[in-house]
Amino acid sequence: MFYLNFVGRFTPKGKIKKSYANSKTSYLNRIRWAISMFYFSKGLCFASWASRIPDIKSYLDLSEGQLGSILFAIPLGQLAIMPFSGKLVTKYGSHKVLLYSVLIYLICLVNIGLASSAFQLAAALFLFGVFANVSNIAVNTQGIYAEKLLKKNIMGVFHGTWSFAGFIGALIGLGIAVLQLNPFTHFALIASFVLVLVGFNYSYLIKAKDRKLTKKGKFFSKPDASLIWLGVIGFCSMASEGVMFDWSGVYFKEIVKAPDSLVILGYTSFMIMMAGGRFLGDKMTTRFGRKQVLQISGIMVSTGLLTAVIFPYIIPCVLAFMLVGLGVSTIVPTLYSVAGKSPTVAPGDALTIVSSVSFLGFLMGPPVIGHIAEAFGLQFSFAFIGIFGFLIAFMVTRVKAIQ
């Protein structure tokens, strides 16, 4: 159980007046909006960086191989800090960690725009990855607290806000590139805007402390088995998601043989449905239950990928990739929500365990696909990943924490 700094305002003696009830509802909605803005800020920052990768590549005169190696600095930074993120959140509180990590995240974003060599870019991206992970654990802990406070499933909407910010960030990046503003100016403008969002919303973050903390002991203690299972399910989902991010365009170009102007259709159809599905996912889990929604989601992922393999044509593949996007949309937010309600592990630590295992799928999926594709062909590799959805549907039945 956790304590909130404003809980006294919600429990006056005597009968709650109607005006007070309205005030309570408004305040709860304000808290929800504030947390959503932090999700939005994170999505906007990451999309802003991603939208300028081609320009930075050209400015630093990097080859594809050099760029690929440098981009690996982000996941390296995330992996390096993962063992500590949850402990920081548990010890100092998610509201404080979120504030400081987002502010440093902004500095890292601006520093990316200042990089004048490959080494400087790699160093900036490493730190970008570090504080992306810390802020990720902190903001999702806030999301879990919000679910407890509002007594409803809203994690999917929070993640949908992140996805929506990705679209906005990409559009802004396109517009700024047309105006020929350099990445530093672009990132500085985004950072200034996010600072305003932080200033208006920080005071409404949930200031909470957990009674149910991880038992004291060795620094690297044996994690809860149910959390590992949640992480493995997340691994399968994020491996599928990572493949769609990195290989959907290649699949449309090399297998579907789509015209150059339509190559982006695969990625776009996937992203639109993933974002839309996250805004609808909470209602689905409330109505049908997490277990049933996760099972259906897993089947949708497999059905979509296998359909793309069997029918490698534009229209069937667009529909198939939409199905994959809808399938993966609810899985990770739902897993985070379940992990945060662990009875034995503090939310920050639980999220670290689940996200660490899950993220390995996002990290390993795309390169594994590349090696399989080189040996057996891209269609075979997509069929291989397609099995993961069925594994998700099966594993969900083995985790008691998922109801």
Side-chain angles (χ1 to χ4, degrees):
M1 185 64 64
F2 59 89
Y3 297 101
L4 302 176
N5 67 330
F6 50 80
V7 76
R9 296 176 60 180
F10 294 166
T11 55
K13 295 180 179 180
K15 186 177 179 180
I16 298 177
K17 296 180 180 180
K18 183 177 180 180
S19 60
Y20 182 82
N22 291 336
S23 176
K24 173 183 173 180
T25 300
S26 298
Y27 194 68
L28 290 175
N29 288 334
R30 184 65 182 86
I31 291 171
R32 178 175 176 174
W33 174 261
I35 296 172
S36 296
M37 288 302 96
F38 275 87
Y39 276 94
F40 183 90
S41 297
K42 282 180 54 60
L44 184 64
C45 288
F46 188 83
S48 298
W49 138 248
S51 69
R52 300 308 296 269
I53 290 176
D55 297 318
I56 294 174
K57 176 180 179 294
S58 299
Y59 174 71
L60 297 180
D61 194 25
L62 301 172
S63 66
E64 282 75 10
Q66 288 174 320
L67 178 63
S69 298
I70 291 172
L71 291 179
F72 199 63
I74 293 179
L76 278 179
Q78 292 177 318
L79 287 172
I81 198 63
M82 273 183 180
F84 311 101
S85 299
K87 297 184 182 300
L88 288 171
V89 169
T90 300
K91 183 174 182 179
Y92 298 106
S94 59
H95 60 292
K96 291 182 180 179
V97 174
L98 180 56
L99 173 64
Y100 292 121
S101 61
V102 166
L103 292 178
I104 301 174
Y105 190 55
L106 295 179
I107 294 172
C108 294
L109 176 65
V110 175
N111 281 341
I112 293 172
L114 290 173
S116 59
S117 68
F119 175 78
Q120 289 179 357
L121 178 61
L125 291 178
F126 179 85
L127 293 175
F128 194 62
V130 167
F131 290 98
N133 181 263
V134 176
S135 58
N136 177 59
I137 298 300
V139 77
N140 279 293
T141 301
Q142 283 285 309
I144 289 167
Y145 287 160
E147 285 196 326
K148 292 178 180 179
L149 187 63
L150 276 72
K151 298 179 181 179
K152 63 194 315 187
N153 299 326
I154 53 175
M155 187 65 79
V157 173
F158 286 144
H159 282 250
T161 303
W162 186 94
S163 299
F164 176 70
F167 282 115
I168 299 298
L171 290 175
I172 292 174
L174 179 63
I176 288 183
V178 170
L179 294 174
Q180 297 184 342
L181 294 179
N182 60 52
F184 169 73
T185 303
H186 176 188
F187 298 159
L189 289 172
I190 293 297
S192 299
F193 175 70
V194 171
L195 277 176
V196 174
L197 289 181
V198 169
F200 276 104
N201 293 287
Y202 170 70
S203 61
Y204 291 93
L205 291 180
I206 299 172
K207 301 172 181 63
K209 289 185 178 181
D210 281 87
R211 280 180 173 176
K212 296 178 180 177
L213 301 178
T214 308
K215 294 180 180 179
K216 294 181 179 180
K218 295 181 179 179
F219 186 80
F220 293 104
S221 57
K222 184 178 179 180
D224 188 291
S226 63
L227 295 176
I228 295 297
W229 274 108
L230 293 176
V232 173
I233 295 171
F235 177 97
C236 293
S237 176
M238 294 198 74
S240 305
E241 189 176 327
V243 166
M244 295 303 294
F245 272 106
D246 291 4
W247 288 96
S248 57
V250 178
Y251 194 87
F252 256 64
K253 184 174 182 178
E254 296 184 0
I255 304 300
V256 179
K257 305 295 183 182
D260 290 343
S261 60
L262 299 179
V263 165
I264 197 174
L265 267 181
Y267 175 77
T268 304
S269 60
F270 165 77
M271 282 297 297
I272 288 174
M273 293 306 292
M274 185 175 74
R278 285 179 167 171
F279 283 108
L280 297 174
D282 293 322
K283 293 182 179 179
M284 295 298 101
T285 55
T286 299
R287 182 172 181 179
F288 300 107
R290 291 189 176 98
K291 183 170 292 187
Q292 187 170 349
V293 170
L294 287 175
Q295 288 175 318
I296 294 173
S297 296
I299 293 172
M300 290 171 68
V301 171
S302 289
T303 302
L305 286 169
L306 294 176
T307 298
V309 171
I310 299 171
F311 302 103
Y313 310 106
I314 292 181
I315 294 179
C317 280
V318 167
L319 296 175
F321 284 12
M322 290 173 70
L323 196 61
V324 176
L326 192 60
V328 301
S329 65
T330 59
I331 297 175
V332 170
T334 301
L335 295 177
Y336 282 7
S337 180
V338 173
K341 296 176 176 62
S342 171
T344 59
V345 182
D349 290 333
L351 284 171
T352 299
I353 294 170
V354 175
S355 64
S356 297
V357 179
S358 300
F359 184 74
L360 289 176
F362 194 81
L363 182 64
M364 296 171 60
V368 168
I369 279 292
H371 289 294
I372 295 176
E374 187 174 347
F376 303 102
L378 194 56
Q379 282 178 284
F380 181 87
S381 62
F382 265 60
F384 174 78
I385 294 296
I387 299 173
F388 284 16
F390 292 132
L391 289 176
I392 291 171
F394 171 74
M395 287 188 290
V396 165
T397 64
R398 313 295 295 177
V399 183
K400 294 181 180 180
I402 300 175
Q403 301 295 331

